[in-house]
Amino acid sequence: SKTVCDLKGRNAVLLSVEMGNVDIVRLLLRPGEKCDAADYKGMGAMHIAAERNDVRMMQFIKRRDPLTWIAEDKKRRLPIHI
């Protein structure tokens, strides 16, 4: 199946993270699915949540996919550097 993205490469999960809606992110992710999508800048869900200072979202994403803390964007920044 093909994932639909906006012009910045953000899928529905990333857009929901950007809007700060943990409940929608939870609904969009299938059980056991990781939060590993990234936009055209290479920013994943954790980068976006960190950029928004959304602690609740960061905690949710970390529980779903603990390795998101070490994912680099295209500028080689970790979420903690945002």
Side-chain angles (χ1 to χ4, degrees):
S1 68
K2 183 142 174 100
T3 301
V4 177
C5 297
D6 70 2
L7 295 174
K8 294 182 179 179
R10 299 171 298 189
N11 64 14
V13 171
L14 294 179
L15 289 169
S16 297
V17 169
E18 189 172 326
M19 293 187 319
N21 198 325
V22 173
D23 294 328
I24 297 298
V25 174
R26 185 179 290 115
L27 288 171
L28 289 170
L29 292 173
R30 286 171 261 161
E33 186 176 3
K34 294 180 180 181
C35 302
D36 59 356
D39 68 9
Y40 75 107
K41 294 179 184 176
M43 290 179 61
M46 188 63 80
H47 289 92
I48 294 168
E51 187 174 61
R52 297 182 71 253
N53 294 315
D54 189 338
V55 174
R56 182 172 177 242
M57 184 68 74
M58 290 188 289
Q59 290 170 337
F60 172 77
I61 295 167
K62 185 179 176 194
R63 281 193 303 274
R64 284 301 289 253
D65 189 3
L67 295 179
T68 57
W69 286 105
I70 60 170
E72 293 180 336
D73 66 9
K74 289 185 178 178
K75 292 182 180 178
R76 301 189 52 95
R77 298 178 301 175
L78 299 173
I80 198 166
H81 297 137
I82 302 294

